Amino acid sequence: MKTTRKIAYLGICTTIALVLAYVESLIPPIFSAVPGIKMGLPNVVIVFVLYKFKARDAIIVSLLRIGIVTLLFGNVMTLAYSVSGAVLSLAGMILLKKLDFLSIIGVSVVGAILHNAGQIIMAMILLSTAEIGYYLIVLAITGAISGVLVGLLGGILVKRLKDKTSEE
Amino acid sequence: MEKNNAPTVFGGRKLKNDLIFIIALIVILVCVGLGVYFFRKPGDTVKVLVDGKLYGTYSLKEEREVEIKIGDNLNILVIKDGTVDMINASCRDGICVKHRPISKNGETITCLPNKVSVVVEKTSEKGDVDTTV
């Protein structure tokens, strides 16, 4: 794909990820007892970019999204949580995609769980309590479920949006 | 018509790997969860909540009986040997009375009809988890 085209494409992807993050924040929590259970809708875009383009592009889109969300709605604390979650999740997904023994669904499940893990680890560091580590077990199970959904959606998108603009 | 356009995305073999991977993952997580549940740290205080509001806080270390009386509803708790048990309740189903005694951090006995819940907590190392993630 031509560079200009690609820049525009990735720009749209970043915007969609931003909007999805906002839409997700409007959905009331399913389980108010355990905060942090989310569908991970923006991850659909990240997984999509990871499979449609390259690892580098997924990293750019993810970090840009976090940067913009932080500037618009966040603070330093939310930045720390977002970055630790996103970095761990991206690293795991890129590695698993390279290893090439799981499909997009498995990769996205790992991404979802690592995203939760990154945030919990950051919370453990910032709040200096190990107790919240228990949350990770619950979050990992719900993350696995949402990861399957995100992976399915991302896979369908990659398949459907296979037009000539995507040819590299 | 709908041929496999993207074999790298939903490959049949990889999908099978996925299934095995996810099932294994969930089994491991549930096992770890159960393990953590059964090896939780013992708590040291008992908090009684009535309709979401704090009714009283008691130490788990001293033996005592607590009567929770709100209107016609009555629940009786016994704190003994570092455990707390609901021994009597005015509610019809009596699920809370049948509940085993609790002693570990985060465990609860809830009496839904009377809206009473008893929570064991560990106050010595308390973390504020009220940050939005």
Side-chain angles (χ1 to χ4, degrees), chain A residues 38 81 100-106 109-110 113 119 127 129 131-132 134 137 140-141 148 152 155-156 158 162, chain B residues 4-6 8-10 14-15 17-18 21-22 25 29-30 32-33 36 41 105 125 127-129 131-133:
Chain A
K38 284 193 230 167
Y81 286 118
D100 201 36
F101 67 94
L102 293 178
S103 80
I104 193 167
I105 297 172
V109 166
V110 171
I113 292 174
Q119 293 190 326
L127 306 170
T129 41
E131 298 279 298
I132 40 173
Y134 298 141
I137 299 155
I141 292 170
V148 171
L152 267 173
I156 291 167
V158 172
K162 216 170 169 61
Chain B
N4 225 352
N5 281 332
T8 48
V9 178
F10 287 127
K14 280 197 230 160
L15 220 54
N17 286 349
D18 274 356
F21 172 73
I22 293 166
L25 199 77
L29 283 170
V30 169
V32 171
V36 167
K41 287 181 196 159
N105 185 21
E125 50 175 280
D128 200 1
V129 210
T131 320
T132 24
V133 178

Side-chain angles (χ1 to χ4, degrees), chain A residues 62-105:
Chain A
S62 181
L63 292 183
L64 264 180
R65 178 185 84 79
I66 290 166
I68 297 170
V69 165
T70 310
L71 282 176
L72 289 176
F73 313 108
N75 52 44
V76 185
M77 285 294 263
T78 57
L79 180 68
Y81 286 118
S82 311
V83 169
S84 62
V87 166
L88 209 61
S89 144
L90 271 172
M93 289 201 290
I94 290 166
L95 188 77
L96 266 181
K97 195 189 163 231
K98 279 253 159 68
L99 291 177
D100 201 36
F101 67 94
L102 293 178
S103 80
I104 193 167
I105 297 172

